[in-house]
Amino acid sequence: MQAIQRGVALAALLGTSAAMAQETAPEAPPETLILDELLISAGRTPVGVDETGRAFTVITGEQLEAQGVRYVAEALRRVPGVAVSRTGSVGGLTQVRLRGAEGNQVLVLIDGLEVSSIAQGEFDFGSLQVAGIERIEVLRGPQSALYGSNASAGVISIITKRGARGGTDWSGTIEGGTDGTALVQGTVSGGGTNWNGSLTASFRRTAGFNVATGTDDAESERDGDRNFTLTGRASVDVTEDLRFGGTFFLRDRESEFDSQLFPFPADATSGLVVDSNSVNEARDIALGLFGRYEMLDDALVHELRFEVTDTRSENVIDDVPGFTSEGRRYKGVVQSSYAFDIGTIENLATAAVEIEEEINQASTGDQTRTLIGLVGEYRVSPLDGLDLQAGLRYDFNDAFEDALTYSVGASYAIAGTGTRLHASVGRGVVNPSFSEQFGFSPGRFIGNPDLDPERTFQWDIGVEQSLFDGRVVFDATYFRGRVTDEIISGFDTAASLPTSVNATGESPRQGVELALTLLPIDALSLTASYTYTLSEEGSTGFQEVRRPRHTAGLDALYRFAGDRATLGLGLTYSGDQRDLDFTAGTFPAPLITLDSYVLLNIQGSYEVTENLAVFARVENATNTDYQEVFNFETQGIAGFAGLRVNF
C-alpha cells in the first residue's frame, strides 16, 4: 500500500521526473534507505521496479564495467527484444530495433533529453560510448501516451552518473588495442551542502578495418572513427522546496565509410561496397534546464523544463561535401503531480503540457513542424501487491492529423510466493520523418508528402518468478500487436526514383522474451536472455529485414582473489535474418538471407590497489566471419587492455 508514497518520496529526494533524473538530497530520512529501486522512464514520475506493468530491462553501470563494453549498442545486444545492426566499422550507422519495429519507432533519451536525428527521426547508436553511464533502462511496448511520437515500440533511457553531495570523486580510464585503438576517459563528480554535479569526457580513436566486400585487397583501406563525448549534469537547492538544474550532452565524431555502388543502368558492380575516401562528420548537442517546486509536504510537485537539441551530419566524399543535414528541436514542458489518499487507497495523478518545434535544414530545403501535447497519467494501488497505471495523450500536429494514444499497465505481486504478474496494452503513433516526407538526397531519393503516420497497437503479458531469496529470477513475456500504415520503401514511377509509401494492410508483430538471472554461488553471476520475434511487412507478408527471429545472450562473471579479480564472458547469438540484395540491380531489391552467428567476448580485471585496476578483453574471440548488413564486412578478433584509477 506504500507504493505511490515511496515513489513520490524518493522522486523528491532524487529530484527526478520521468524525463530528467536529478541528484540525491543531503541527510535523507532513514526510511528512504529501504525504498524500492525506481524506473525513471516507466512513468511521468518514477515507478518502482515491482510496481509497473510494462516490460523492461535495466543495465547498471557496474554491469557495463564488468562486461568491458565500450559502446551502448554492444551492451544492448543481449537485452530481450532488441536487435542491433551496424553498417561496417565502428562509427557506421548503427540501428537498434525493439520487438521487430523500425529504429525511428524507438525513443532514445539521455538524461531525459531526446537525442534522435531531426531529419531521420531515429538515433544513430554508432560511436555512442558508455562513458559516465549510471544505468540504461529499456522499456518495451508502446509508450506514446507518455512520450509522444517515435516511442511506439519503446524507450531506451540512458542516465548518467550524478555527483554525491559532501565530497569530490575523480576517476579515469586509459585503453589501447587492436587497429590502433586508443581511449582516454575521465569523470569528476561531487557537491556541497545544497548542490551537486558531474562531468564526464571521453575520447576514443580507432583506425578501424576495411568493410568493403567489392575490393580485391581486403587490407587496402581501413575505415576508422574518432569520437569525443561529453556529458554533464548539475542541480542546486535554492530552498528546501525549490530546485534548479540542468543536463548536457555532446557527441562529436568523424567516421570513415566505404561507398555502396548503385550504377544506372545496373552492371556487375551494383550493390558492392568498395573503398572510397569518404567520411561522415557528425555532431549532436542537447541541453536541458529544469526547475522543480514542491508543496504540501512534497505531495504536490510542479516542474518546468526547457530542452534544445541540435544535430548536424555531413558526408564528405573525396574531399567534396555531399549530403548535409542539420536540425534543431526546441521543447518546453510544464508538469504537475499530486499524491493523495482516498480512504486507505493511495493515488498519484500527473498532468503535463508539452510544446515542441522541429526545424530541419537539408539538401531538400528547410522544413518546420510544431506539436502541442496534452498528457495525463494516473497510478493507484487498490490492494496490497496490486499496482495499476494508465496514461492518455492527445497531440495537436500542424503537419498531420491529431493523434490520441493511451497506455494501461498492471502489476500484481502474489504475497509469499516470489511471483509477480505484469501486463500492459497501448496504442502508439509515429509521424513520418522529414526525410521520408521531403527526401534526403536529390536525384537518388524522393520524398512523399502524402504519407500517413504509422499507428501501433500492442499488448503483452508476463510473469516474473523469484526463488531461493532472489538467487534465481526468471521473467517470461509474450507480446502481440500490429502496425497500420507502416512506412516502407516504394518507387515513384513519375520520377523513376525510390521513395517511401504506406504499406497496405496490417504489419503483425508478436514474440516471446525470456530473461534469467542466476547466483549459484556468491562469486558467480549468470544472466541469460532469449527472444523470438515475428515481424512481417503488411504488403508482402515477408519477415522484415535486419530483424532475426531468434536472438539470445549469456553473460557470466566470476569473482575471486578476495573479489579483487574478475573473469567474465559474453555470448551473443543472432539467428538467420533477411536483408536487401542490391547486387541484383533491380527495384525493389530482392531479399537475401544472412547466416546466423555466435560471438564470444572474454574479459578480466584485477584491482592492484584500492585506487588502481588493470583490465583486458578479447572481442569476437573465435574470429567469427559474419555480416549484419549484406556486403558490409565486420570486425574479426580484437584485443584491448588498459587501466582504471579512482580517488
Side-chain angles (χ1 to χ4, degrees):
M1 297 293 294
Q2 303 300 315
I4 291 176
Q5 282 189 340
R6 290 199 305 267
V8 172
L10 188 52
L13 290 168
L14 295 176
T16 57
S17 71
M20 194 169 291
Q22 300 304 329
E23 288 69 17
T24 305
E27 300 178 0
E31 60 266 24
T32 63
L33 298 177
I34 59 172
L35 295 180
D36 294 337
E37 182 185 3
L38 295 186
L39 278 173
I40 305 301
S41 57
R44 295 295 301 193
T45 59
V47 183
V49 294
D50 294 330
E51 299 157 5
T52 179
R54 300 178 174 97
F56 68 90
T57 298
V58 175
I59 307 172
T60 66
E62 290 78 8
Q63 290 173 313
L64 294 173
E65 183 175 299
Q67 293 170 358
V69 297
R70 287 290 170 255
Y71 297 106
V72 172
E74 301 309 308
L76 295 173
R77 289 183 184 274
R78 296 188 285 276
V79 172
V82 174
V84 179
S85 59
R86 188 177 76 187
T87 305
S89 185
V90 172
L93 174 64
T94 304
Q95 296 178 287
V96 173
R97 299 175 172 90
L98 293 181
R99 291 184 170 179
E102 265 300 344
N104 67 341
Q105 298 173 353
V106 180
L107 180 68
V108 179
L109 304 173
I110 298 179
D111 285 331
L113 303 174
E114 185 177 348
V115 291
S116 62
S117 163
I118 309 300
Q120 306 295 336
E122 72 175 279
F123 183 70
D124 178 5
F125 279 84
S127 296
L128 180 62
Q129 301 186 60
V130 301
I133 291 178
E134 181 175 280
R135 58 192 280 141
I136 302 172
E137 298 180 354
V138 182
L139 198 65
R140 298 183 289 275
Q143 311 301 329
S144 291
L146 298 176
Y147 294 103
S149 180
N150 299 100
S152 67
V155 175
I156 298 175
S157 179
I158 299 167
I159 302 162
T160 64
K161 295 178 180 179
R162 58 180 178 267
R165 298 186 175 184
T168 303
D169 296 316
W170 302 76
S171 63
T173 300
I174 60 172
E175 176 185 280
T178 301
D179 299 327
T181 299
L183 166 73
V184 179
Q185 173 186 313
T187 298
V188 57
S189 63
T193 57
N194 69 330
W195 68 274
N196 60 328
S198 65
L199 182 68
T200 297
S202 183
F203 177 83
R204 195 171 197 262
R205 180 191 291 273
T206 178
F209 57 91
N210 189 20
V211 306
T213 53
T215 302
D216 293 334
D217 183 1
E219 298 296 330
S220 61
E221 188 260 352
R222 295 184 174 188
D223 300 292
D225 178 73
R226 177 204 56 78
N227 175 285
F228 175 72
T229 300
L230 183 68
T231 60
R233 58 191 296 179
S235 72
V236 58
D237 296 337
V238 179
T239 68
E240 290 185 355
D241 301 318
L242 180 63
R243 175 176 301 163
F244 292 105
T247 59
F248 177 78
F249 168 74
L250 165 68
R251 179 178 60 169
D252 184 88
R253 58 183 173 133
E254 291 184 359
S255 305
E256 298 174 347
F257 65 94
D258 285 334
S259 298
Q260 191 169 23
L261 301 180
F262 299 99
F264 187 83
D267 60 24
T269 67
S270 295
L272 296 183
V273 181
V274 299
D275 287 340
S276 64
N277 182 23
S278 305
V279 62
N280 173 253
E281 299 175 353
R283 184 216 62 222
D284 304 300
I285 300 176
L287 172 67
L289 301 173
F290 78 94
R292 176 186 177 95
Y293 184 60
E294 300 164 0
M295 303 173 61
L296 305 179
D297 293 328
D298 301 339
L300 179 61
V301 179
H302 305 290
E303 295 183 13
L304 177 66
R305 298 194 300 276
F306 178 71
E307 304 169 13
V308 179
T309 303
D310 187 289
T311 64
R312 188 180 191 280
S313 177
E314 180 180 21
N315 288 343
V316 179
I317 301 175
D318 294 328
D319 298 322
V320 178
F323 167 68
T324 300
S325 174
E326 185 169 5
R328 289 177 298 280
R329 179 185 297 112
Y330 302 97
K331 186 174 183 179
V333 182
V334 179
Q335 177 173 304
S336 295
S337 298
Y338 181 51
F340 60 96
D341 295 337
I342 299 179
T344 60
I345 299 177
E346 298 174 348
N347 305 261
L348 178 62
T350 302
V353 178
E354 297 182 352
I355 302 176
E356 180 179 274
E357 182 179 67
E358 292 182 324
I359 303 170
N360 182 55
Q361 297 172 305
S363 306
T364 54
D366 296 350
Q367 302 96 28
T368 302
R369 292 178 184 168
T370 302
L371 176 147
I372 299 175
L374 305 180
V375 190
E377 185 187 26
Y378 180 69
R379 302 210 299 261
V380 62
S381 301
L383 301 171
D384 284 338
L386 177 62
D387 299 281
L388 306 176
Q389 312 94 36
L392 188 67
R393 181 185 183 105
Y394 193 88
D395 285 324
F396 298 90
N397 295 285
D398 66 341
F400 309 100
E401 290 186 2
D402 297 343
L404 178 67
T405 54
Y406 64 85
S407 177
V408 178
S411 173
Y412 181 54
I414 304 175
T417 66
T419 303
R420 186 177 72 92
L421 308 177
H422 55 87
S424 68
V425 60
R427 183 177 187 267
V429 63
V430 175
N431 293 329
S433 69
F434 283 109
S435 295
E436 291 168 336
Q437 193 176 14
F438 299 104
F440 62 87
S441 183
R444 295 187 62 181
F445 183 91
I446 189 171
N448 182 354
D450 298 323
L451 288 171
D452 292 322
E454 299 173 306
R455 292 170 291 153
T456 297
F457 172 81
Q458 191 174 107
W459 59 268
D460 59 44
I461 186 169
V463 58
E464 176 186 278
Q465 182 65 55
S466 177
L467 301 168
F468 308 114
D469 294 326
R471 286 188 173 272
V472 178
V473 179
F474 175 76
D475 189 279
T477 302
Y478 173 76
F479 67 89
R480 187 181 184 93
R482 62 183 181 271
V483 179
T484 306
D485 292 324
E486 181 185 12
I487 297 176
I488 61 174
S489 298
F491 194 77
D492 188 305
T493 55
S496 297
L497 289 172
T499 188
S500 296
V501 298
N502 290 111
T504 59
E506 296 178 343
S507 301
R509 306 280 190 267
Q510 64 174 311
V512 176
E513 299 162 345
L514 306 178
L516 175 67
T517 300
L518 294 174
L519 297 173
I521 58 176
D522 291 342
L524 178 64
S525 62
L526 303 168
T527 59
S529 65
Y530 166 78
T531 305
Y532 169 79
T533 305
L534 178 65
S535 175
E536 297 179 346
E537 184 183 293
S539 297
T540 63
F542 294 144
Q543 177 80 359
E544 304 249 26
V545 300
R546 302 175 190 173
R547 276 152 275 199
R549 291 198 179 188
H550 304 276
T551 59
L554 172 67
D555 281 295
L557 182 68
Y558 180 65
R559 299 182 181 274
F560 57 101
D563 285 344
R564 295 178 65 179
T566 65
L567 179 64
L569 65 83
L571 279 171
T572 302
Y573 169 76
S574 178
D576 295 349
Q577 57 183 309
R578 298 288 190 94
D579 203 357
L580 299 172
D581 182 5
F582 293 108
T583 62
T586 60
F587 191 89
L591 296 175
I592 192 171
T593 299
L594 302 180
D595 293 336
S596 62
Y597 60 87
V598 177
L599 300 179
L600 170 64
N601 295 342
I602 303 173
Q603 60 275 345
S605 66
Y606 181 74
E607 293 182 2
V608 180
T609 69
E610 184 179 353
N611 305 109
L612 174 64
V614 294
F615 61 86
R617 73 182 185 280
V618 179
E619 297 180 355
N620 192 5
T622 57
N623 201 29
T624 299
D625 185 16
Y626 68 103
Q627 290 187 358
E628 298 180 58
V629 178
F630 182 52
N631 265 341
F632 285 85
E633 295 294 347
T634 51
Q635 177 79 61
I637 186 171
F640 308 89
L643 58 87
R644 290 189 297 268
V645 295
N646 61 82
F647 48 91

